[in-house]
Amino acid sequence: MAQSENKVCTVKSWQEGPLIDESTLQEDLTRHFYYTLGRDMVGESRLYLYHALALTIRDRLVARCRTTRQQRQLSPTRQVAYLSLEFLMGRALGNAVLNLDLEDNVRHAVQEYCTTLEEVAEAEHDAGLGNGGLGRLAACFLDSCATLGLPVIGYGIRYEYGMFNQSIEQGHQVEHPDNWLREGHPWEITAPENTRRIKFFGHVEVYQDKHGRKHHQWVNTQDVLAVPYDVPVPGYKNEVVNTLRLWKSEATDEFNLSEFNAGSYTEAVARKNLAEQITMVLYPNDSSENGKELRLRQQYFLSSASLQDLLANWVAGHGEDFSEFAQYNVFQLNDTHPSIAVAELMRLLVDEHDLDWDAAWHITTRTMAYTNHTLLPEALEKWSVSLFSRLLPRLLEIIYEINARFLTEVACQWPGDMQKQRSMSLIEEGAHPQVRMAYLAIVGSFSVNGVAALHTELLTGGLFNEFYQLWPHKFNNKTNGVTPRRWLAHCNPELAKLIGSKIGDQWVAHFADIEKIRRYYDDKAFQTQWLSVKQHNKQKLVDLVKEACGVEFDVAMMFDVQVKRIHEYKRQLLNILHVIYLYERIRKGDTANLTPRCVLLGGKAAPGYFMAKLIIKLFNNVAEAINNDPLAKPYLRVAFLPNYNVSAMEVICPATDLSEQISTTGKEASGTGNMKFMMNGAVTIGTLDGANIEIRDAVGVENFFLFGAKSDELAAIRSTYNPNQIIQSNPALQEVMELLESGHFNLFEPGLFQPIIDSIRDPHDQWLVAYDFESYIEAQQKVELAYQDKEYWTRLSILNTAASGEFSSDRTILQYSQEIWQLAQQ
Ligand SMILES: *Cc1c(COP(=O)(O)O)cnc(C)c1O
């Protein structure tokens, strides 16, 4: 990029910062509406009003972003780059209004346009740049970092198409592209002067300089530009605004000259598309990898652009002296997706900044930190060596060098143990050798963390045990959390107000304070208010379900909810079997003790995941049968909410009575949906999996509906698992299976659900659906009894919110900050 001379010119009237506070908000809104957007008809469009409001608020964010940056320049401290292929941000408007404390002013300003803040906010499209929990965690972390005033910058990809939109047609999931930028994205500001250049393909040449030192040159590459788009991330009422920097790929303007001369001008220009494809679309696979070349390109693109960005900033301040670089920088890798950053930092330091290998490795292994998110073997990323050598030849050489040195260390620790070297090698040998990305991340990082206590135990005791033996000090746990700003203060304003009336508003930034409402759990008047808030929230969900599914829910019934990605390990199937079981009871007239309930399911299936899609279809067919049976109406209503996303969850979790967290033990790393529900006073039915264990400990075992196999029993259960015998010896399960196998739910689609039936009856069923059925039904019966006692249930609800203090992502981020990042206390 051409830089003009560095003349400093400061416009005097801007030295103090322009007047940009709440007093001018009304005028600014009008100015943006009339002039920036050129609109004049009031009420013409909510969309334009939303844009004008977003720009008005963005002005205030930009001002604070500048002062945040300036203050940090005055006293530089260690900073963190959070590298993630996903940031599931959802909508920004409501969150910014809350965090900047502008609600009254904004409400007042919007009134002039004869509408409400809620209506305007509906015009914003969700930023769905993530699949599920992992991407939403990154978003919650950004909010907590800004709220804690920590110097953390998020780096991600500005996908043109985010997580697909889901519709349901004839009970089947149908995917539609999510063109979320079509109507503009008013929050971002592009910074083309910080464009970075990313290399692909080509080959490596080696030469010796005059001192006899070897140099590697990666040449003949096909380059792509990375252009940054910055999104402001406001802290809660603290004047801090951090940045999320999202990279968009663009073609260079260099064309293949021979092609030009051959008269292929248009073809050469059209080739630009290839470069622009890199950031075109988010891969919609949650916790499974499929080895697509474009995905590896995305990973390298993000890693390289972000590292180059940080190194360029470093060089601008320190020249080519990297001796203190590791003191001032940490890179947190959100899963293995950006783990190629380990090799890329080595390449940049050695090849581009002339450090020797040992100095570069010293820096890399003191700045990289890796968060593992899953134990599922199919999610452990591996890339074929042949793909690597074609796409990123220099990176493969570096990985080989890292591996050679690492295996020497293994040989020292376990002399003569060749099996150890094979099993720990970064390269999996075989007919098609593969690079093991998780191992690269572990070897290159000073910290490796799991995301809940059980998950970390299973990592160190199982999956990564050999690495744990070698480097026990690297491993640590950081139990996930969610931000109480979005997931309580913003999404449940009535409950927030009620809580505030008793304990003040400190809890929004100091969530441990939420424990103080425990004092009121027995207070009758408070219980009545609590219940009334829940009923209001339930009414809003009733309206949403009516509009989106055409199903009538009833606020007088229990709201039983499972929303999350559809995956066999999350066992939506077990939930369906329980629904069928309830339906059987209704058909038999066994309704004396039945608690009326509305069952809501929501979530997206990966487009190529056959079983997950079939589970959606089964649920919809079961729902259809039940909702059309007048016998069932007083007791059971069932709906699948299409297109589950962040904004939907903001309506769902405040309205839920019963939170379904029923994964097969040992499979859900943490879960975060469980925490959002708990904060909003839902009671959990769940297995001893992920953070459920910590949730149960926090709320008290008597206030949690536990069922299912325990983690230390699993090996024994699996070795003798006989689902057919379990079905035979359990009359309830037998009846459920009979109804399912009779074709009752697929009268016109014979055999449709056979794969599901087979999976339940399969002795190798990893998910142990039949095994946990009986204890699940028993736990559900306890839930029914508890719910029938309104006062008791309300107490449970209050206790859940009161005990959710440790599930704030503020607590999580403080631990990252103190135990991994070692940031100075702000
Ligand atoms: C919180 C959240 C998730 C994660 O839910 P789990 O139940 O932990 O799997 C997924 N998607 C969205 C939209 C969320 O808000």
Side-chain angles (χ1 to χ4, degrees):
M1 292 288 112
Q3 292 275 326
S4 55
E5 317 90 274
N6 276 335
K7 259 197 286 176
V8 176
C9 170
T10 312
V11 179
K12 282 203 187 63
S13 60
W14 285 73
Q15 267 173 4
E16 305 295 316
L19 185 60
I20 190 117
D21 60 14
E22 58 281 0
S23 71
T24 61
L25 192 137
Q26 175 89 66
E27 293 155 44
D28 294 343
L29 177 62
T30 306
R31 180 171 50 81
H32 280 303
F33 190 79
Y34 280 81
Y35 298 105
T36 313
L37 302 173
R39 300 293 124 187
D40 43 31
M41 280 186 298
V42 170
E44 170 187 28
S45 160
R46 297 270 152 67
L47 180 67
Y48 285 112
L49 188 55
Y50 155 68
H51 273 269
L53 186 54
L55 291 170
T56 303
I57 290 166
R58 192 186 78 172
D59 291 342
R60 284 145 181 86
L61 292 167
V62 167
R64 287 165 176 80
C65 199
R66 185 177 294 117
T67 42
T68 300
R69 204 166 41 235
Q70 285 165 349
Q71 278 173 9
R72 287 187 185 146
Q73 272 161 4
L74 288 179
S75 52
T77 57
R78 191 199 293 260
Q79 57 162 10
V80 179
Y82 193 84
L83 269 52
S84 179
L85 270 280
E86 302 188 14
F87 286 91
L88 190 49
M89 302 296 281
R91 288 175 175 148
L93 180 65
N95 184 246
V97 169
L98 172 72
N99 284 12
L100 296 189
D101 199 11
L102 289 173
E103 183 173 335
D104 293 344
N105 299 278
V106 167
R107 283 194 185 283
H108 184 74
V110 165
Q111 251 171 29
E112 294 254 310
Y113 294 79
C114 309
T115 182
T116 62
L117 173 55
E118 284 72 17
E119 277 184 336
V120 177
E122 280 294 311
E124 180 171 4
H125 204 299
D126 266 45
L129 308 183
N131 273 284
L134 174 149
R136 184 54 230 175
L137 184 76
C140 283
F141 278 5
L142 291 184
D143 182 77
S144 286
C145 289
T147 295
L148 293 166
L150 303 175
V152 176
I153 176 168
Y155 278 107
I157 290 181
R158 183 179 177 276
Y159 301 105
E160 216 83 11
Y161 292 85
M163 189 58 207
F164 66 80
N165 287 313
Q166 176 197 54
S167 69
I168 299 297
E169 289 167 31
Q170 265 106 51
H172 292 283
Q173 164 173 302
V174 177
E175 301 95 23
H176 308 271
D178 166 45
N179 194 350
W180 71 292
L181 293 167
R182 186 172 42 213
E183 294 168 330
H185 183 223
W187 303 101
E188 69 188 11
I189 296 182
T190 179
E193 71 281 10
N194 293 318
T195 295
R196 310 292 166 198
R197 202 180 174 95
I198 317 298
K199 297 181 181 193
F200 290 101
F201 301 106
H203 65 269
V204 182
E205 288 177 356
V206 186
Y207 69 92
Q208 282 200 346
D209 65 19
K210 53 179 189 277
H211 310 292
R213 227 186 108 190
K214 254 202 208 166
H215 292 264
H216 297 260
Q217 266 191 315
W218 184 7
V219 296
N220 240 316
T221 50
Q222 294 176 31
D223 296 357
V224 175
L225 300 180
V227 181
Y229 287 73
D230 292 342
V231 182
V233 180
Y236 178 74
K237 297 187 186 175
N238 65 353
E239 299 293 310
V240 171
V241 174
N242 282 345
T243 301
L244 168 60
R245 175 159 278 193
L246 300 176
W247 300 102
K248 175 186 195 298
S249 63
E250 283 190 10
T252 63
D253 284 332
E254 296 142 16
F255 296 102
N256 186 325
L257 275 183
S258 56
E259 234 168 347
F260 257 64
N261 297 337
S264 308
Y265 167 75
T266 45
E267 287 79 356
V269 176
R271 216 175 292 286
K272 279 169 85 84
N273 279 334
L274 275 172
E276 298 184 351
Q277 261 178 30
I278 293 179
T279 56
M280 191 59 76
V281 60
L282 166 76
Y283 276 90
N285 301 312
D286 183 61
S287 50
S288 77
E289 274 308 315
N290 55 14
K292 289 277 182 341
E293 173 178 332
L294 182 58
R295 171 74 172 177
L296 181 56
R297 283 209 225 191
Q298 290 181 340
Q299 296 181 347
Y300 180 65
F301 175 82
L302 166 70
S303 304
S304 181
S306 311
L307 292 175
Q308 286 188 51
D309 206 45
L310 284 153
L311 289 180
N313 288 342
W314 180 264
V315 169
H318 303 79
E320 292 289 327
D321 178 2
F322 287 91
S323 54
E324 293 193 325
F325 183 82
Q327 221 169 297
Y328 285 95
N329 290 280
V330 181
F331 305 102
Q332 188 71 42
L333 310 177
N334 197 23
D335 214 329
T336 52
H337 312 155
S339 58
I340 186 65
V342 168
E344 175 64 1
L345 183 55
M346 288 301 291
R347 186 189 73 81
L348 291 168
L349 293 174
V350 172
D351 293 1
E352 315 242 320
H353 294 281
D354 265 341
L355 266 68
D356 65 38
W357 182 277
D358 291 333
W361 188 243
H362 186 88
I363 289 173
T364 300
T365 51
R366 274 159 191 76
T367 51
M368 293 283 165
Y370 157 55
T371 304
N372 173 279
H373 282 272
T374 175
L375 296 154
L376 298 182
E378 66 269 30
L380 285 179
E381 279 191 286
K382 290 172 191 168
W383 291 105
S384 90
V385 164
S386 67
L387 169 59
F388 242 102
S389 72
R390 200 163 48 80
L391 189 66
L392 304 168
R394 179 58 182 142
L395 280 293
L396 184 62
E397 286 185 354
I398 289 171
I399 290 170
Y400 281 153
E401 181 68 26
I402 294 172
N403 197 35
R405 291 166 186 248
F406 165 61
L407 291 180
T408 311
E409 211 174 322
V410 174
C412 275
Q413 180 81 11
W414 292 282
D417 189 343
M418 294 312 290
Q419 174 51 32
K420 266 286 184 269
Q421 295 194 36
R422 260 194 302 279
S423 67
M424 296 179 80
S425 172
L426 305 193
I427 308 295
E428 184 178 288
E429 297 298 344
H432 303 283
Q434 310 236 301
V435 184
R436 294 161 163 159
M437 300 308 280
Y439 293 4
L440 175 64
I442 297 171
V443 171
S445 297
F446 66 89
S447 163
V448 178
N449 76 282
V451 291
L454 174 68
H455 171 60
T456 302
E457 257 175 56
L458 294 173
L459 279 183
T460 55
L463 195 60
F464 296 154
N465 180 256
E466 293 174 317
F467 290 90
Y468 178 64
Q469 289 179 40
L470 187 59
W471 297 310
H473 56 276
K474 285 195 185 188
F475 289 81
N476 63 94
N477 176 247
K478 296 289 168 282
T479 299
N480 283 167
V482 300
T483 170
R485 268 73 63 189
R486 182 175 298 262
W487 296 117
L488 184 50
H490 168 65
C491 76
N492 200 344
E494 287 187 51
L495 196 66
K497 200 167 153 216
L498 175 59
I499 294 168
S501 74
K502 293 293 182 194
I503 66 170
D505 290 332
Q506 290 290 305
W507 60 269
V508 183
H510 302 277
F511 199 60
D513 272 18
I514 199 69
E515 175 270 327
K516 293 183 184 157
I517 60 152
R518 195 174 194 286
R519 274 178 232 155
Y520 302 93
Y521 84 97
D522 234 355
D523 174 330
K524 296 284 170 298
F526 186 72
Q527 286 175 356
T528 307
Q529 289 173 300
W530 189 271
L531 198 58
S532 136
V533 169
K534 182 62 86 181
Q535 296 304 98
H536 274 129
N537 292 334
K538 285 170 82 167
Q539 186 57 49
K540 289 182 200 156
L541 184 55
V542 167
D543 297 342
L544 179 68
V545 168
K546 176 76 193 155
E547 189 192 300
C549 326
V551 177
E552 300 269 2
F553 275 10
D554 180 345
V555 296
M557 297 164 80
M558 176 171 74
F559 280 19
D560 168 354
V561 178
Q562 186 178 20
V563 288
K564 48 182 74 238
R565 288 302 292 256
I566 310 294
H567 201 295
E568 287 163 284
Y569 86 77
K570 291 177 182 278
R571 293 202 295 195
Q572 281 90 0
L573 184 52
L574 187 56
N575 191 340
I576 298 173
L577 296 185
H578 174 245
V579 169
I580 297 175
Y581 161 79
L582 290 178
Y583 185 44
E584 271 286 359
R585 275 178 59 187
I586 295 165
R587 283 161 38 107
K588 289 193 299 196
D590 173 16
T591 53
N593 260 319
L594 218 144
T595 302
R597 69 167 97 194
C598 300
V599 179
L600 186 70
L601 202 74
K604 294 171 187 175
Y609 189 170
F610 171 78
M611 284 300 275
K613 291 177 119 173
L614 195 57
I615 288 167
I616 293 178
K617 172 64 174 163
L618 173 60
F619 185 81
N620 281 315
N621 281 23
V622 170
E624 172 97 2
I626 293 174
N627 295 334
N628 286 322
D629 186 341
L631 265 183
K633 199 161 189 216
Y635 302 106
L636 190 57
R637 322 257 172 105
V638 188
F640 186 92
L641 186 78
N643 206 37
Y644 173 58
N645 61 11
V646 170
S647 291
M649 187 53 159
E650 289 171 14
V651 181
I652 294 166
C653 65
T656 296
D657 295 310
L658 183 66
S659 159
E660 299 269 355
Q661 307 299 336
I662 60 178
S663 54
T664 309
T665 299
K667 298 293 179 184
E668 185 76 88
S670 162
T672 48
N674 46 6
M675 302 169 186
K676 299 167 202 165
F677 283 115
M678 182 195 200
M679 267 183 198
N680 285 278
V683 180
T684 307
I685 182 165
T687 48
L688 282 180
D689 200 18
N692 290 355
I693 297 173
E694 290 149 85
I695 286 175
R696 177 168 169 268
D697 287 343
V699 72
V701 297
E702 68 286 8
N703 301 317
F704 182 105
F705 294 93
L706 177 71
F707 75 97
K710 316 244 174 328
S711 142
D712 55 4
E713 303 165 355
L714 285 174
I717 292 167
R718 289 204 162 99
S719 68
T720 61
Y721 189 42
N722 187 346
N724 290 307
Q725 197 200 322
I726 292 174
I727 293 166
Q728 254 175 34
S729 57
N730 182 324
L733 181 52
Q734 185 145 21
E735 281 175 33
V736 167
M737 291 303 290
E738 273 166 18
L739 194 59
L740 189 55
E741 288 168 340
S742 74
H744 184 85
F745 301 110
N746 50 311
L747 292 175
F748 306 107
E749 300 154 301
L752 181 64
F753 299 125
Q754 199 58 44
I756 289 179
I757 293 162
D758 292 344
S759 80
I760 299 170
R761 292 189 172 278
D762 182 355
H764 300 290
D765 174 25
Q766 288 190 69
W767 323 114
L768 303 175
V769 172
Y771 187 89
D772 278 346
F773 178 84
E774 185 173 359
S775 65
Y776 182 50
I777 299 296
E778 277 171 20
Q780 286 284 15
Q781 265 152 9
K782 288 184 193 148
V783 168
E784 294 196 2
L785 287 180
Y787 194 78
Q788 282 167 16
D789 182 345
K790 273 269 151 288
E791 203 181 301
Y792 177 66
W793 188 270
T794 306
R795 272 201 300 261
L796 284 185
S797 172
I798 297 168
L799 287 175
N800 266 275
T801 301
S804 66
E806 66 182 273
F807 302 103
S808 163
S809 46
D810 297 348
R811 184 271 310 150
T812 313
I813 285 297
L814 263 179
Q815 291 178 331
Y816 273 85
S817 171
Q818 292 169 359
E819 297 162 21
I820 302 177
W821 304 336
Q822 317 242 311
L823 298 184
Q825 275 292 287
Q826 298 298 303

